[in-house]
Every structure is written in structure tokens, then in C-alpha cells.
């Protein structure tokens, strides 16, 4: 960019171009959030009431994205389904962040056999594929939205434990940690005041990516019938329902599929964008 | 009883290749108002001694012997009690001012924290004290600087901040581990003068760790020369530089580059070095650690623990060498030539 003087609009545009991952990701993610919040107060039609007379309609002015085999409005279902996906993502990532980061920081602060124990436990949990362990947990606890959230959350714990331990270990070897020790601070205090703030960016980036994985996992579990149970709309279940009509009414699968795709794409791009912004060294290295 | 008494301090690090004796049988005393310089090459145990005093050795380190501060053995204290000593009664200034400050916290926060932890000050009291401290260490417009972040300061300013942090709780003992190594030569003198002034002012004891004999000669009263984890010579600065009683001290002194020495018009002179390498701490010789690099060592040196001789009794100048007379003779011609 050789032009020194740019008007504010151009400057804003060029800034957006520089962080286009972040901007596109934020817009897509924002769309999901807006849809979810809007659906709590307003949807075009009811997402759960059956209207057999208007079943399997093509998209129209009345039903923008058409209706399913029970005559439910697809757009409304997608909007309410966004709620579901968001809650699953927030709670599952929340479980992962709180327990995982806690364990990771503990491991890094204690070292020795505590670290060994925590990390080997993480490896053990991590060795099971996400969806498989989720199926296992729902098989034990029974199907349902809460159990699938729990399953995805448990899968997230070792992810965050590993990443925060690695990042925290790097911080612990910094000289300002030695200086903090020499100033008389204990391990706990150093962890909260020095280590955690310095690894926040890593955790935030991982959280957005794990959020996307959680949405995908929830959709997969619901598709398999062990996640969110009817009549609660969910993107995964909509895909399952659409399966039967895929040849005659393909839009039934395309719309919820597109919703999952855009939400996951948005979160991944947001994560990438955040990483570029929060860790400028990484961007320059590329 | 001296303020700080270190007796038979041993630090052993468990490494994959066996135990490494980083500090062996080190003893020294230090009183209020006294300054001690610890000199030696990299890896001779200087920094390990400092970390042992603060109880901050790496996890694979084991310390034996005793470190008495005001009659209390620090090695018997638990971690919580040591946290109350660190930064409060013993503080440390680190080598790298660039990386020893947390980049995410303001200067003010980092300088006030020790006071909040140890002295139970309120935030406002600590802030006022921090302004006073920063002014004392020579930082201009200190009050505004409190809200600066470390990256907004120069290296010299950051080292001044580190000094302010170390001084904030008026410690009894201040340890400065190569405080000027990372700084410009022009700043070095200022920082050393500042440390010396503050130590004298507050009547605290100073341990200055350096490999730079010039720094040591100008700043401290007493010198402890370390080699291979052991103290090889100790004495008042003047006496030590006058006698250079240990072959290693002589080697260190000869290795300081001098202007106008050597070839014609002082050019093309080779820098003097001590032949050989610092010994591996994992397999030190049983006797004198310097034996394999020493030019007066003979067969018995490597196998016999060197005896301690008085060089100048009244001044407490002592050297650990089996052949102090040979060492003296070796140094004499050099002295005549000066």
C-alpha cells in the first residue's frame, strides 16, 4: 500500500481486507447468533407446530425455505436449531475451557508426577475419536441434548488441557516468571497473574475452533438420533428427516446442511482471523 | 553473627548423565553494608549460588549445607515461608531487563506488587511509594511512567525499573546477577553507581555477580572467585587484585583485553585465554577442579582437595591451592613488568 493518504472508508476497507478471515468469520458467526436470539422472540412460523396440510412445500413467499414432511417451516426450524447449536457449543466449550485449562495450568505449575498423571489421562481420553466417545457416553447415560453436550464437553477437556499446558510451560520458562518468583509470589499467584493472561490468546483461538467442532459433533449425534430429541429442532435431526425425501425434495437437506456448513466455516475463519490478529509474529512468518 | 552466613553450601543437579555438582562446599559471610562480588566464567556456579539463596533452584536441584539469614536457616523453611523471604528480605536483579518484566502488565503494577504482597500496603500507598522509588532510580516523570508498559521503555530504563522492584520492600540482601551485561557500556556505569549508592544509603548487603573484573573492582569491597562450583580465592578487593594468589584468578585477570598491550603499537596482539574448557560438572576431578587447566599443577593436584592458605591474614584473604608459593612466583614477574 503505497498511498499514504486514504479516506476513512478506504482505510476501513483495507483493514478489513487485511483481516478478511476475521471479518467473514465474524459476519457468519454473528448471523448464527442473531438467528438464535431472534428465534427466542420471533420466528416466521412455529418451529414445532405440525401443519400437515402445507407439508413438503417448495420455498415460497410464505415459507422462505419451504416446509418439511410435517409442514413445519424450515427457516423457523433452522433459526431455533441455531439456538440449540449455540447452547451446545457454549456449554461444551465452556466445560472444556474451565476444566481443561484448569488441569493444563495445574500440570504446568506443579510439574513432576502431577503433570505426568494429568497428561497421560488426557492422552487416554484423547485417544478415543470424538464421535465414538460421545456415542459411548450417550450409550451409558441415555440419548438427549444434555448428555450429548456432556459428551462433547468431556471430549474437549483434554484438548484444552494439552494446549494450555504446552503454552503455560513456555511461559513458565520466561525470565519474568523467575523475576515474579524472586519477588515472592507463589505458584498459584503466578499462574493467575502471569501465566493465564499470557496464554489467553491461544485459548480463545482454540475455543472458536472447538466451538465449530462441537456444532459439527452435535449435528452428527442428532443425525444419529442420540443427540437432541424431537420435537426440539436441531440441524442434525433435520438432515436425518430430510434423508427420506432427498431425491424428491433435496432442499430439505440442503438448507440445514448449508446452515451447519456456514456456521462451522464462520467459526473456523473467525478462529484463523483471531490467531492472525492476536499473534502477529505468526502472520509475518508466513 | 553476620547477616547472611553461607556454610558448606552444596548444590547438586540431577541430570540425565548423573549428578552435577553445580556448587561445592561454598562458604561466605556478609554483613549489612557489605558488598561481595562473585566472579567466574560461565557455568562456574555463580548464578546457581544466587538461586540457591532464594530457594529457586530448578526442580532437579538439591541443596545441602546452611544459609543463615539473621540466624534462621533458609534451607529449613517451607515454600510458603520462602515466598515471604523472596522479594522481601532477599531480592534479586536479573541479567535481562528486556525479558524480566511481564509484557502484559504496567510498570506500576509490577513495581507495586511486592509491596502489596509483603508489606500489606494499600494500593494508593504502594503507588506513592512506587513513584518515589522510580524517581530514586532515575526515571523521569515517574508518575506518568507507572502506566507505561515495558515495551515503551529502553533497556536501561527497564533495568532501573527492575532495581526499583527489587528495592521496593527494602530487602536486607540484594543479589544482582550480571545486572549490566545486557546494557550499553555507557549505561553500565550509571546502573552500577546507582546500585552502589542505594546499597550504601539503605545499609543493605549486596552480592554482585559478574564475569567482568572491571565491574567487580569498581563496585564491591570483597571478592569471591569461583571455579567449577567451588570458591578458589576470596579476599578484600584491593588485596585480591594486588596478590592474584590463585592461578585461575591470574588467568582471569590476564584474559581482560587491554589497550596497547602485545605487538607493535598495540595492534595484532592475541587475546590471552585460559587454555582448556570449564570442566563438566558431572565428572569433576576429585581434587582441585582447575588442575587440568592450571600451568603449575602437578600429579597430586587432580587427586587432592586443595588446602586453604592465608594470603593476607589480617584482611581475610584466602586461597584454595596446593601450591600457593608456585602461584606467587608465577605472578611476580608479571608484577615487575607492570
Amino acid at each position: 500500500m503505497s498511498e499514504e493518504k486514504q479516506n476513512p472508508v478506504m482505510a476501513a476497507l483495507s483493514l478489513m481486507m487485511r483481516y478478511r478471515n476475521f471479518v467473514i468469520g465474524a459476519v457468519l458467526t454473528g448471523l448464527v447468533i442473531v438467528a438464535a436470539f431472534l428465534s427466542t422472540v420471533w420466528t416466521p412460523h412455529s418451529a414445532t407446530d405440525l401443519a400437515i396440510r402445507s407439508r413438503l412445500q417448495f420455498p415460497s413467499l410464505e415459507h422462505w425455505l419451504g416446509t418439511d414432511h410435517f409442514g413445519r417451516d424450515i427457516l423457523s426450524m433452522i433459526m431455533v436449531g441455531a439456538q440449540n447449536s449455540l447452547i451446545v457449543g457454549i456449554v461444551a466449550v465452556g466445560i472444556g475451557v474451565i476444566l481443561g485449562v484448569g488441569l493444563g495450568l495445574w500440570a504446568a505449575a506443579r510439574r513432576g508426577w502431577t503433570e505426568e498423571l494429568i497428561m497421560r489421562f488426557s492422552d487416554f481420553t484423547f485417544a478415543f475419536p470424538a464421535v465414538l466417545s460421545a456415542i459411548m457416553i450417550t450409550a451409558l447415560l441415555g440419548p438427549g441434548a444434555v448428555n450429548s453436550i456432556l459428551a462433547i464437553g468431556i471430549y474437549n477437556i483434554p484438548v484444552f488441557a494439552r494446549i494450555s499446558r504446552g503454552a503455560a510451560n513456555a511461559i513458565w520458562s520466561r525470565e519474568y516468571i523467575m523475576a515474579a518468583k524472586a519477588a515472592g509470589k507463589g505458584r498459584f499467584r503466578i499462574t493467575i497473574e502471569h501465566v493465564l493472561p499470557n496464554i489467553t490468546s491461544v485459548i480463545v483461538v482454540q475455543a472458536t475452533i472447538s466451538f465449530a467442532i462441537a456444532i459439527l459433533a452435535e449435528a452428527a449425534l442428532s443425525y444419529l438420533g442420540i443427540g437432541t430429541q424431537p420435537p426440539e429442532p436441531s440441524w442434525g435431526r433435520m438432515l436425518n428427516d430430510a434423508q427420506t425425501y432427498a431425491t424428491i425434495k433435496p432442499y430439505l437437506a440442503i438448507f440445514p446442511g448449508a446452515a451447519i456448513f456456514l456456521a462451522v466455516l464462520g467459526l473456523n475463519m473467525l478462529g484463523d482471523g483471531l490467531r492472525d490478529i492476536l499473534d502477529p509474529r505468526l502472520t509475518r512468518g508466513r | 553473627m553476620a547477616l547472611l552466613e553461607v556454610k558448606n553450601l552444596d548444590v547438586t543437579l540431577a541430570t540425565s548423565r548423573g549428578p552435577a555438582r553445580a556448587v561445592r562446599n561454598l562458604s561466605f559471610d556478609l554483613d549489612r553494608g557489605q558488598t561481595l562480588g562473585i566472579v567466574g566464567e560461565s557455568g562456574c556456579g555463580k548464578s546457581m549460588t544466587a538461586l540457591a539463596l532464594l530457594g529457586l533452584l530448578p526442580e532437579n536441584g538439591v541443596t545441602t549445607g546452611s544459609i543463615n539469614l539473621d540466624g534462621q536457616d533458609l534451607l529449613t523453611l517451607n515454600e510458603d515461608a520462602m515466598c515471604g523471604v523472596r522479594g522481601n528480605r532477599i531480592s534479586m536483579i536479573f541479567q535481562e531487563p528486556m525479558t524480566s518484566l511481564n509484557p502484559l502488565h504496567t510498570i506500576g503494577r509490577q513495581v507495586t506488587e511486592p509491596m502489596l504482597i509483603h508489606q500489606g500496603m494499600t494500593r494508593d500507598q504502594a503507588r506513592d511509594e512506587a513513584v518515589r522509588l522510580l524517581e530514586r532510580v532515575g526515571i523521569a516523570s515517574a508518575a506518568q511512567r507507572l502506566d507505561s508498559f515495558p515495551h515503551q521503555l529502553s533497556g536501561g530504563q527497564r533495568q532501573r525499573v527492575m532495581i526499583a522492584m527489587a528495592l521496593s520492600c527494602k530487602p536486607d540482601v540484594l543479589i544482582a546477577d550480571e545486572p549490566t551485561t545486557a546494557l550499553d557500556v555507557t549505561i553500565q556505569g550509571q546502573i552500577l553507581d546507582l546500585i552502589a549508592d542505594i546499597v550504601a544509603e539503605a545499609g543493605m548487603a549486596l552480592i554482585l555477580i559478574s564475569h567482568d573484573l572491571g565491574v567487580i573492582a569498581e563496585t564491591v569491597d570483597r571478592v569471591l572467585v569461583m571455579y567449577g562450583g567451588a570458591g578458589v580465592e576470596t579476599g578484600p578487593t584491593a588485596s585480591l587484585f594486588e596478590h592474584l594468589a590463585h592461578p585461575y584468578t591470574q588467568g582471569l585477570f590476564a584474559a581482560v583485553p587491554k589497550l596497547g598491550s602485545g605487538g607493535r603499537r598495540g595492534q595484532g596482539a592475541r587475546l590471552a585465554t585460559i587454555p582448556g574448557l570449564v570442566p563438566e560438572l558431572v565428572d569433576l576431578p576429585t581434587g582441585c577442579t582447575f588442575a587440568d587447566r592450571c600451568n603449575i599443577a602437578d600429579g597430586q593436584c587432580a587427586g587432592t582437595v586443595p588446602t586453604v592458605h592465608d594470603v593476607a591474614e589480617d584482611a581475610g584473604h584466602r586461597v584454595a591451592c596446593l601450591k600457593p608459593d608456585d602461584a606467587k612466583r608465577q605472578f611476580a614477574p608479571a608484577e615487575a613488568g607492570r
Side-chain angles (χ1 to χ4, degrees):
Chain A
M1 261 162 269
S2 54
E3 269 90 338
E4 284 298 313
K5 280 180 188 131
Q6 288 177 321
N7 64 48
V9 180
M10 285 304 290
L13 274 176
S14 85
L15 200 68
M16 278 168 73
M17 274 309 285
R18 229 170 97 209
Y19 297 118
R20 58 184 176 281
N21 275 353
F22 176 79
V23 173
I24 297 171
V27 167
L28 287 175
T29 311
L31 218 59
V32 177
I33 294 172
V34 167
F37 273 96
L38 187 61
S39 72
T40 60
V41 289
W42 177 82
T43 48
H45 296 270
S46 164
T48 47
D49 289 353
L50 310 184
I52 303 296
R53 231 173 308 170
S54 54
R55 65 199 283 263
L56 294 174
Q57 286 183 359
F58 274 104
S60 63
L61 278 178
E62 176 66 20
H63 298 284
W64 289 3
L65 301 181
T67 58
D68 74 350
H69 58 295
F70 288 132
R72 291 173 297 188
D73 181 56
I74 299 284
L75 178 62
S76 307
M77 288 176 80
I78 287 179
M79 283 172 68
V80 179
Q83 257 183 55
N84 192 45
S85 290
L86 272 190
I87 290 170
V88 170
I90 290 168
V91 178
V93 172
I95 292 173
V97 167
I98 291 168
L99 292 178
V101 172
L103 282 172
L105 288 175
W106 187 25
R110 279 276 155 189
R111 307 304 298 263
W113 63 265
T114 311
E115 181 178 33
E116 203 61 29
L117 207 68
I118 291 173
M119 294 331 287
R120 290 305 78 77
F121 172 74
S122 288
D123 289 346
F124 176 78
T125 321
F126 203 63
F128 293 96
V131 174
L132 193 66
S133 57
I135 290 172
M136 197 171 70
I137 288 166
T138 44
L140 286 173
L141 303 176
V146 175
N147 288 345
S148 67
I149 289 175
L150 209 62
I152 300 164
I154 289 172
Y155 161 77
N156 269 327
I157 294 172
V159 174
F160 283 95
R162 284 175 153 206
I163 202 161
S164 55
R165 189 212 51 145
N169 271 350
I171 301 295
W172 272 99
S173 63
R174 299 282 175 87
E175 293 199 352
Y176 55 79
I177 297 292
M178 185 52 99
K181 285 185 194 164
K185 291 188 193 173
R187 281 204 195 104
F188 183 73
R189 211 183 165 116
I190 292 178
T191 298
I192 300 299
E193 290 178 1
H194 295 272
V195 180
L196 187 58
N198 277 296
I199 67 168
T200 313
S201 63
V202 181
I203 295 170
V204 167
V205 170
Q206 181 59 45
T208 56
I209 290 165
S210 287
F211 203 112
I213 296 172
I215 288 179
L216 214 51
E218 193 277 334
L221 290 180
S222 298
Y223 174 81
L224 294 172
I226 53 179
T228 311
Q229 297 299 306
E232 210 54 48
S234 129
W235 294 348
R237 270 183 32 73
M238 290 172 75
L239 277 182
N240 190 4
D241 290 345
Q243 199 168 234
T244 329
Y245 306 93
T247 47
I248 47 167
K249 306 278 179 180
Y251 66 88
L252 282 178
I254 289 168
F255 293 130
I260 296 171
F261 167 71
L262 290 175
V264 171
L265 179 75
L267 281 161
N268 272 315
M269 290 181 83
L270 185 67
D272 274 2
L274 273 175
R275 197 186 53 211
D276 292 347
I277 293 168
L278 294 177
D279 194 352
R281 268 166 308 176
L282 219 68
T283 328
R284 243 179 276 140
R286 282 195 292 193
Chain B
M1 189 173 53
L3 172 69
L4 180 71
E5 289 180 341
V6 175
K7 275 212 180 62
N8 307 332
L9 181 71
D10 258 64
V11 175
T12 310
L13 302 171
T15 68
S16 54
R17 289 178 302 139
R21 297 187 63 189
V23 177
R24 0 198 263 166
N25 207 18
L26 190 73
S27 302
F28 61 85
D29 291 350
L30 199 59
D31 234 321
R32 268 173 224 284
Q34 285 186 344
T35 53
L36 173 76
I38 302 182
V39 218
E41 280 168 279
S42 312
C44 71
K46 294 172 300 190
S47 297
M48 279 296 156
T49 307
L51 293 180
L53 291 180
L54 284 166
L56 286 178
L57 287 171
E59 273 135 66
N60 59 351
V62 179
T63 320
T64 59
S66 69
I67 301 170
N68 281 305
L69 180 69
D70 261 346
Q72 185 172 38
D73 189 354
L74 298 184
L75 294 182
T76 62
L77 294 182
N78 64 15
E79 179 62 22
D80 284 347
M82 268 318 283
C83 281
V85 172
R86 291 181 203 132
N88 189 22
R89 307 209 52 202
I90 305 181
S91 309
M92 183 148 169
I93 302 170
F94 288 86
Q95 184 170 350
E96 280 288 346
M98 297 310 207
T99 52
S100 297
L101 292 167
N102 188 332
L104 293 181
H105 295 168
T106 60
I107 300 303
R109 177 163 176 192
Q110 302 192 55
V111 176
T112 53
E113 257 176 352
M115 297 185 269
L116 299 176
I117 296 174
H118 298 297
Q119 316 230 297
M121 286 191 186
T122 66
R123 223 158 256 289
D124 288 338
Q125 285 172 326
R127 217 178 145 84
D128 291 344
E129 182 65 14
V131 172
R132 210 189 54 74
L133 280 164
L134 289 181
E135 274 167 2
R136 177 63 194 90
V137 297
I139 286 186
S141 51
Q144 283 98 297
R145 276 299 178 200
L146 282 183
D147 297 318
S148 300
F149 283 91
H151 70 268
Q152 295 168 308
L153 270 60
S154 70
Q157 283 176 314
R158 277 187 237 183
Q159 194 59 300
R160 287 173 199 271
V161 170
M162 291 298 299
I163 294 171
M165 268 174 81
L167 293 174
S168 55
C169 293
K170 302 180 185 65
D172 298 318
V173 181
L174 178 67
I175 304 171
D177 187 359
E178 311 243 7
T180 56
T181 307
L183 300 178
D184 271 349
V185 186
T186 47
I187 310 290
Q188 281 189 11
Q190 296 175 16
I191 296 286
L192 286 173
D193 289 346
L194 175 66
I195 293 176
D197 287 351
I198 287 172
V199 165
E201 222 168 77
M204 50 180 92
L206 171 74
I207 298 178
L208 177 70
I209 296 173
S210 183
H211 60 260
D212 188 337
L213 288 173
V215 166
I216 292 287
E218 282 170 31
T219 322
V220 298
D221 316 328
R222 291 181 64 82
V223 181
L224 170 68
V225 182
M226 284 185 77
Y227 184 80
V232 293
E233 185 173 356
T234 176
T237 311
S239 173
L240 189 116
F241 279 95
E242 186 187 335
H243 296 291
L244 299 180
H246 196 278
Y248 178 64
T249 318
Q250 296 169 4
L252 267 187
F253 192 76
V256 177
K258 294 170 201 68
L259 268 180
S261 65
R264 250 188 330 138
R265 283 178 297 173
Q267 291 169 356
R270 282 186 154 264
L271 292 175
T273 56
I274 304 175
L277 291 171
V278 181
E280 285 278 350
L281 295 171
V282 179
D283 47 13
L284 285 175
T286 49
C288 177
T289 47
F290 189 57
D292 57 335
R293 298 173 73 187
C294 180
N295 46 13
I296 59 166
D298 59 18
Q300 63 161 336
C301 282
T304 319
V305 177
T307 43
V308 178
H309 299 275
D310 285 323
V311 180
E313 291 157 64
D314 46 332
H317 183 178
R318 289 189 300 276
V319 63
C321 185
L322 281 170
K323 312 169 84 181
D325 297 332
D326 287 357
K328 204 183 285 177
R329 218 169 296 131
Q330 168 175 258
F331 177 56
E335 198 174 31
R338 274 200 302 194

